[in-house]
């Protein structure tokens, strides 16, 4: 995904039909092997009459080419083209998305008998990044906070895909799954200016492997919270609860 964010130059190797290196597209072993078609006299079309009507059709002797190859090229067997490996560097623009197709003019297969080459269509697959989930130009990142940070509030530092670090304030009492938006820290817009946004989704991590002391403090907090619900939870008790949280997680 870093290449999709910053843009990249990607080397590409592929097989395509190209001009034959032996006959240089003539399809003949030598110049003397190419003769004008005797039936259509080089026009590639023949005319015939049927009653009062005059009609033309493709010459069946030369296949519409107007010439006949008496001694075909051994490499391309008279086709003037052969399959070969090609290598080029593809420019990936910033903000490219998974499944996009890039068209590179003139880098497709060589046309028959001197016709212009077609275009090369490159189907882009963007490798996912385990840190981010992409939706159009926005990126989503999940951030764990412990129950003390969730209850008391905190400030966390978020690393964007660009490498920039941004601090966001998590308010006290934040809920699991709450999402905060950081403007212009998402993916570059592919066909426009600016960037999408970076969304930070909060996950509240439940502590594992509590010590006996921490467990005792949590049980004390649980009793205090239940009592607070019963009698209206006085302001002084709420302050005490905050102190208990800090003791559990070493903030004091």
């Amino acid at each position: 995904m870093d290449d999709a964010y910053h843009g990249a130059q990607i080397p590409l190797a592929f097989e395509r039909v190209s001009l034959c290196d032996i006959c240089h597209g003539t399809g003949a072993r030598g110049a003397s092997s190419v003769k004008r078609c005797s039936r259509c006299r080089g026009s590639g079309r023949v005319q015939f009459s049927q009653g009062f009507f005059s009609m033309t059709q493709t010459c069946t002797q030369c296949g519409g080419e107007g010439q006949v190859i008496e001694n075909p090229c051994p490499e391309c067997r008279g086709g003037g083209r052969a399959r070969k490996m090609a290598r080029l560097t593809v420019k990936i623009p910033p903000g490219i998305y998974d499944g996009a197709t890039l068209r590179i003019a003139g880098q497709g297969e060589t046309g028959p008998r001197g016709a212009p080459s077609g275009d090369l269509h490159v189907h882009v697959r963007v490798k996912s990044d385990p840190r981010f989930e992409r939706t159009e130009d926005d990126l989503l990142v999940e951030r764990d906070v412990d129950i003390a940070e969730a209850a008391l509030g905190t400030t966390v530092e978020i690393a964007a895909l660009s490498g920039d670090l941004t601090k966001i304030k998590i308010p006290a009492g934040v809920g699991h799954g709450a999402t905060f938006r950081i403007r212009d820290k998402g993916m570059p817009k592919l066909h426009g200016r600016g960037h999408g946004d970076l969304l930070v989704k909060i996950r509240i991590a439940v502590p594992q492997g509590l010590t006996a002391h921490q467990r005792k403090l949590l049980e004390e907090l649980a009793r205090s919270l239940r009592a607070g619900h019963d009698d209206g939870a006085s302001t002084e008790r709420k302050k005490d609860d905050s102190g208990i949280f800090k003791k559990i997680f070493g903030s004091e």
Side-chain angles (χ1 to χ4, degrees):
M1 191 179 283
D2 285 334
D3 287 341
Y5 183 91
H6 297 286
Q9 301 281 342
I10 304 296
L12 184 66
F14 60 100
E15 191 178 56
R16 67 182 174 189
V17 173
S18 301
L19 204 66
C20 177
D21 291 332
I22 303 300
C23 68
H24 305 292
T26 66
R29 184 183 290 271
S32 60
S33 299
V34 181
K35 303 293 184 181
R36 189 176 72 163
C37 178
S38 59
R39 184 179 182 191
C40 66
R41 298 180 180 180
S43 68
R45 309 283 291 177
V46 292
Q47 187 175 32
F48 64 96
S49 298
Q50 186 173 355
F52 295 101
F53 300 99
S54 179
M55 294 177 287
T56 60
Q57 67 178 21
T58 301
C59 177
T60 56
Q61 182 168 305
C62 66
E65 297 290 339
Q67 59 187 18
V68 177
I69 299 174
E70 295 181 338
N71 193 2
C73 169
E75 178 69 18
C76 64
R77 299 180 182 180
R81 302 181 298 168
R83 299 200 70 84
K84 295 187 293 185
M85 288 299 298
R87 289 177 172 81
L88 55 86
T89 299
V90 178
K91 183 179 180 180
I92 304 297
I96 194 74
Y97 52 87
D98 185 55
T101 299
L102 300 176
R103 183 173 66 89
I104 305 175
Q107 292 296 333
E109 297 193 337
T110 300
R113 300 289 185 256
S117 297
D119 299 335
L120 174 66
H121 295 264
V122 181
H123 186 68
V124 179
R125 298 304 307 269
V126 178
K127 186 177 180 180
S128 60
D129 189 311
R131 300 170 297 171
F132 300 97
E133 180 181 327
R134 181 178 181 179
T135 302
E136 296 182 350
D137 296 323
D138 292 339
L139 293 174
L140 174 70
V141 62
E142 293 185 334
R143 180 64 156 82
D144 288 349
V145 297
D146 59 43
I147 58 176
E149 291 172 325
L152 304 175
T154 187
T155 298
V156 297
E157 196 170 57
I158 302 297
L161 188 55
S162 63
D164 295 339
L165 296 176
T166 302
K167 291 183 178 181
I168 61 171
K169 185 177 181 180
I170 306 299
V174 68
H176 183 82
T179 302
F180 300 88
R181 183 180 296 270
I182 305 175
R183 299 288 182 183
D184 299 323
K185 292 298 182 180
M187 294 293 293
K189 295 184 182 295
L190 181 59
H191 298 298
R193 295 181 177 180
H195 293 69
D197 298 334
L198 177 61
L199 306 178
V200 182
K201 185 177 181 180
I202 299 300
R203 298 190 310 183
I204 300 177
V206 178
Q208 304 292 323
L210 294 174
T211 65
H213 179 61
Q214 289 172 334
R215 184 177 184 84
K216 181 179 179 181
L217 290 173
L218 274 178
E219 290 172 348
E220 181 183 345
L221 174 61
R223 288 192 296 269
S224 176
L225 290 175
R226 284 194 291 269
H229 287 303
D230 293 338
D231 62 14
S234 67
T235 302
E236 189 62 32
R237 179 167 291 148
K238 289 181 181 178
K239 292 181 180 178
D240 291 341
D241 292 344
S242 297
I244 291 171
F245 262 129
K246 291 179 180 178
K247 291 177 183 177
I248 294 173
F249 295 98
S251 299
E252 287 190 341

